Amino acid sequence: MKLITSIQNPLIKSLVQLQEKAKARKQSGTFLIEGKREIELAIRGGYELDTILFFSDLIDIGEVHLISKHNVPLIEINKEVYQKLAYRDTTEGILAVAKTKSMQLVDLKLSDNPLILIAEAPEKPGNIGALLRTADAANLDAVIIANPKSDMYNPNIVRSSVGGLFTNQIATGTTSEIIAFLQENKINFYSATLQNSTSYHTQDFTQPTALVVGTEATGLSQEWRDKATLNINIPMQGAIDSMNVSVAAAILIFEAKRQRNFK
C-alpha cells in the first residue's frame, strides 16, 4: 500500500487543485469527497471512486477496507497531508477522489407524477447544499439548477449538502432549456415571486409539478415569471418581504408533499 507523507507530492498538489479550482475539476473530471458517510452515499449513488486516501490515526484500516471493497486503490497519508486536504476537522480521516457525473436534463429519470425543485442561479454554495438536503428529505424526483454560478462539485456544495449531492438526481441547464424540458414533459411549474402572484397553499400540486425559486437578492428572472403555469408567493406577516431561499423551498416542497399525502 502506498504511503504519502509530503504535501509537495505531485498527487497531493493535484488534489489541492481539485479543492480550489473549478477548472481543475472540469479538466480531470474528478473531485474530492470527505467523510465516511459521504463516501458511502456516493458509492450508493453510482459514483465511481478513483482513489481512497486515509489517515490511520483517525480511521481503522478495517473500516477503510469495508468502504473500498469495490477494488478502489488505497493510499495512506500522514497528519500533515490529511490536514492539507481536509476541509473539516471532524472528518473521520478518510477522503476519496471520485469521478464526476453528467448532469444533463436528458439523463433525468422521472416518475409518472414527478415533483421537482428548480433553483435559478443560486449564488451561495451553502444554500445549494441546504436545498439538496431538503430535496433528499422530501424524496423529490430531481433538483435542477438553472444558470448555475458554480460547478456542482464545488467543495463547499459537497460539504454543505452532507451527502445530498449523491442522493438526489441533479441536472443543470439554462432557464430556456429547462422551461422547454418542463413543457415537453407536460410538467406544471410554479414560480415563487412577489409580483403578480397568488398564495402557494391555494394551488394544486398533486399533478406533475416543478417548484421554482430564485435568489434572495433579485428573485426569478422575467422568463420564469412570464411562462409559469402560475406565479405563487408565501404570504409574509412581518416587516421583511424575503426569506432564505432554502427555507422558502422547504415550505413549498412540503406543502406539495402534504397534498400528495407523503406518497
Side-chain angles (χ1 to χ4, degrees):
M1 186 184 302
K2 189 173 182 180
L3 171 66
I4 296 178
T5 59
S6 171
I7 60 175
Q8 299 305 318
N9 179 279
L11 173 62
I12 302 307
K13 284 186 172 182
S14 71
L15 298 184
V16 171
Q17 288 296 300
L18 288 186
Q19 292 280 47
E20 297 178 350
K21 305 288 185 182
K23 183 178 180 181
R25 295 189 290 272
K26 184 175 181 180
Q27 288 179 339
S28 68
T30 60
F31 68 106
L32 270 181
I33 309 171
E34 286 182 47
K36 185 170 64 172
R37 177 177 61 173
E38 285 85 347
I39 293 170
E40 289 172 340
L41 288 172
I43 293 171
R44 200 181 306 165
Y47 278 83
E48 183 180 348
L49 301 190
D50 183 73
T51 309
I52 286 178
L53 303 99
F54 70 98
F55 176 38
S56 60
D57 284 10
L58 293 180
I59 188 167
D60 183 84
I61 187 63
E63 287 187 90
V64 177
H65 281 301
L66 281 175
I67 295 169
S68 65
K69 59 188 176 184
H70 300 270
N71 298 318
V72 181
L74 300 179
I75 297 176
E76 185 174 356
I77 55 178
N78 66 358
K79 183 177 181 179
E80 182 185 21
V81 174
Y82 174 70
Q83 290 179 332
K84 182 68 175 177
L85 295 175
Y87 261 61
R88 303 198 309 259
D89 293 335
T90 55
T91 306
E92 305 96 331
I94 187 167
L95 306 100
V97 183
K99 295 182 180 179
T100 59
K101 277 186 177 183
S102 166
M103 290 189 175
Q104 298 184 57
L105 291 165
V106 294
D107 294 328
L108 293 178
K109 295 177 175 60
L110 304 178
S111 66
D112 292 336
N113 187 22
L115 181 58
I116 297 168
L117 172 65
I118 298 170
E120 185 182 37
E123 296 173 344
K124 299 176 182 177
N127 278 341
I128 298 174
L131 289 168
L132 293 174
R133 290 164 68 181
T134 300
D136 175 83
N139 194 28
L140 297 187
D141 284 76
V143 177
I144 303 176
I145 306 296
N147 310 326
K149 296 289 188 182
S150 63
D151 73 288
M152 293 299 293
Y153 297 105
N154 179 305
N156 291 314
I157 295 176
V158 178
R159 183 173 71 254
S160 62
S161 76
V162 197
L165 179 66
F166 314 122
T167 61
N168 289 289
Q169 282 200 96
I170 302 171
T172 62
T174 67
T175 286
S176 296
E177 288 170 345
I178 296 166
I179 289 175
F181 172 82
L182 296 173
Q183 292 172 337
E184 181 181 345
N185 288 277
K186 296 180 172 57
I187 299 171
N188 296 324
F189 62 97
Y190 298 84
S191 296
T193 178
L194 293 174
Q195 297 89 352
N196 302 316
S197 56
T198 188
S199 180
Y200 77 100
H201 69 271
T202 64
Q203 301 310 305
D204 180 2
F205 301 132
T206 61
Q207 301 304 310
T209 295
L211 301 166
V212 191
V213 295
T215 64
E216 296 156 45
T218 59
L220 287 170
S221 63
Q222 193 66 43
E223 190 172 4
W224 281 112
R225 289 184 268 156
D226 287 346
K227 295 185 177 180
T229 304
L230 194 72
N231 292 328
I232 57 174
N233 65 65
I234 300 170
M236 301 287 181
Q237 298 182 354
I240 301 172
D241 65 357
S242 70
M243 66 172 62
N244 178 274
V245 64
S246 61
V247 174
I251 291 170
L252 300 176
I253 288 167
F254 279 96
E255 169 58 19
K257 293 294 289 187
R258 184 195 67 79
Q259 291 184 14
R260 293 168 178 230
N261 296 315
F262 288 88
K263 291 180 181 178

